[in-house]
Amino acid sequence: MTEQVHNSELGESAAIAVSAKGFCKRYGKTVAVNSIDINIRKGEIYGLIGPDGAGKSSFMKAVAGVLSFEAGTLQVFDTMVDSEASAEKVKQRIGFMPQGLGLNMYPDLSVEENIDFFARLRLVPEDELTRRKNRLLGMTRLEKFRDRPMKNLSGGMKQKLGLVCTLIHEPELIILDEPTTGVDPVSRRDFWSILAKLLREQGITALVSTAYMDEATRFQRAALMYQGKVLAEGEPDVIGNLAQGTMITIEVESQARALLALGKQFEQIEAVGTRIRIWVDEADAPKAEKRLRDFLSDFTIRHLECESPGLEDVFVAKLRQEGDVVAALPVFEPTTDNSDGVAIEAHELSKRFNDFTAVDKISFTVPKGEIFGLLGANGAGKTTAIKMLTGIQLPSSGEGTVAGASMATAAQLIKQRIGYMSQAFSLYLDLSVSENINLFAGVYGLDPKTRRERGAWIIELAGLQGHEKELAGSLPMGLRQRLALGCALVHKPQILFLDEPTSGVDPLGRRRFWEILFNLSRVQNVTILVTTHYMSEAEHCDHLALMYAGRVVADDTPDNMKSAVTAEAGGLLEVSVDNPIVALGVLEEAEYKGAALFGRKIHLWSADSQQSRARIESLLGNAGIQVLGMQARALSMEDVFVYRVLQEEKATEQNAA
């Protein structure tokens, strides 16, 4: 694929921080980055968006001066980076944060000791260090954790500490390689807020990569990358026009049967909770709707609407239209067990470690065949809850049943009836694909004939044909996670526990993973309890429980959670202005504390839309800022999550005072 889409040419007066022309990077015979052209303007947040293996990290390392390249030119500020000597010239003006939680820090050093180390490494004057450190610790909400060892921080806190260490020498350009991967939505929202503040107060330039397609709206401009090439470059709205088509969402009776029928006609379909999302290769929305209604004439459609596609939808459509997406996963044979009833029940479960309460009297019920999501920030107690339900840890108090067996008296029976895919360990990376499958089949006592049958099924299920002899550790993350899922399913469990199963998996891999989960739930009546940090995945769940500080603070369907927050806090307004950085500061001073920068737009909460519109126009007009438009936006699960957690944090602080 060689097509590039550009929204506009750079103006002659635009100051350029980074300019790449015909940039190529190879590792032996493998082409990691294939002749790309990118210009990054000073004072903007520029994004590199794409799945694993797209070439994002290779390009960023070259910009940071830590990786050579084979062809093309690369200019950083006023220096042509073409040798080690030229790379050294610009390094003092750059801050680079590599990919991976806390990989650029020292685990046994405290928060403050890590910052001091990087400050001295960068020759920050002692009289400046205290001022900068206090400011950055306050900005990242790490002030009260100065003495905590880095290894004891949550994932989000590690990333924020990494950002502080990257910023301590006040660089002009910061390069952040997937800084939000593996952290919870509140930490991600904090991260973007910090970048917006730095952009406004210091005029820094930020080059940020992400595999989260929904973060595209955070950038002023971005490049969408795939297999080393730039598919599109420009403002997010322009990138969204990369593929032609219409996204339609429906609710229909007999969802599983409708999904099977749709799969024979439409190549890009996705089950999301009780809805089905269909990409129709027709740009005219009325024609696309008519085509879909005609096809579903034998089905009762409860609801149908055309909606704006997300960047992930467009990305998948573009790859599919150019033949770069592999065939759909196999459809499962229906199970003979269609019985109703309760699969999991927790009643006031608690787990204490000495004086620390990790889980505090949680209660919920999961019916058979349901996809149940357990959400929460790092340290909320999700993993501990799963370990109690799976019999790995005994509860301190409370009771529960799993697959009809009591947690208190039948832990071994529970283990035989469930599949468990843990957050930290699910495979033996130094064994091959087939060896992993055979090992797990042996653990569950399957006979040789059944072992061969289930092994073949898992290979087909995970799309691992041709990879049987490869080491699990050498597989791309998406394939590795599907293999881990297959190993958890080798003994045909009734219930599946998945602890952040798609963390670090690219968008295509996550979609295929959820195709499997939907088929397991709807066709084979397998009950699934899943924890996730991807709020777009929360939409796939039939029911959600949101945990905070060990407690369940919300328990409902995704739609009902959104309705509850709307009734309590109002809706979201999206404000388009000609100077978003300055406008954000004006709105924050006017106590719109939830205001957040989304590229060239601002999102904020509004209890009264009409009153807010008039006030915002007046505030920004008095500041000389032109309002280009205002519109209401539907709440996402990330909005709900962040709102609920921040409300709980506020209540905790008030109680402590």
Side-chain angles (χ1 to χ4, degrees), residues 568-638:
E568 187 176 323
L572 274 183
L573 270 182
E574 181 178 79
V575 184
S576 301
V577 292
D578 61 347
N579 193 336
I581 300 298
V582 176
L584 180 64
V586 171
L587 293 172
E588 286 179 341
E589 288 180 8
E591 296 187 352
Y592 283 99
K593 295 182 179 179
L597 185 68
F598 281 76
R600 300 191 180 279
K601 300 172 183 177
I602 296 169
H603 290 184
L604 50 84
W605 290 97
S606 169
D608 185 323
S609 178
Q610 286 300 113
Q611 188 176 11
S612 292
R613 288 169 190 257
R615 183 172 182 240
I616 289 167
E617 285 184 351
S618 176
L619 284 168
L620 297 181
N622 291 338
I625 299 167
Q626 182 181 0
V627 177
L628 304 176
M630 265 188 274
Q631 63 176 348
R633 282 191 64 91
L635 292 188
S636 67
M637 275 311 302
E638 179 167 324

Side-chain angles (χ1 to χ4, degrees), residues 533-575:
H533 276 155
Y534 295 92
M535 289 299 100
S536 59
E537 289 187 348
E539 305 275 3
H540 289 72
C541 298
D542 301 305
H543 204 98
L544 298 169
L546 174 58
M547 292 186 68
Y548 174 81
R551 296 176 290 109
V552 171
V553 297
D555 182 359
D556 216 326
T557 65
D559 286 343
N560 286 348
M561 282 191 176
K562 292 175 187 176
S563 298
V565 170
T566 300
E568 187 176 323
L572 274 183
L573 270 182
E574 181 178 79
V575 184

Side-chain angles (χ1 to χ4, degrees), residues 23 75 138-139 148 258 281 323 379 418 431 442 448 462-463 472 516 519 533 560 599 602:
F23 178 92
Q75 183 171 325
M139 187 183 295
R148 181 175 293 186
D281 289 328
I418 67 170
L431 296 184
I516 297 172
N519 274 288
H533 276 155
N560 286 348
I602 296 169

Side-chain angles (χ1 to χ4, degrees), residues 31-69:
V31 179
V33 186
N34 190 359
S35 190
I36 66 172
D37 299 334
I38 287 177
N39 288 307
I40 301 170
R41 302 169 187 168
K42 288 183 180 179
E44 73 174 347
I45 302 177
Y46 189 96
L48 298 180
I49 311 167
D52 295 338
K56 307 186 301 294
S57 294
S58 294
F59 178 70
M60 299 179 94
K61 288 175 181 177
V63 175
V66 298
L67 186 69
S68 62
F69 54 97

Side-chain angles (χ1 to χ4, degrees), residues 158-169:
K158 286 177 182 176
Q159 290 300 73
K160 288 191 282 189
L161 175 57
L163 182 60
V164 171
C165 293
T166 303
L167 293 168
I168 195 64
H169 66 293

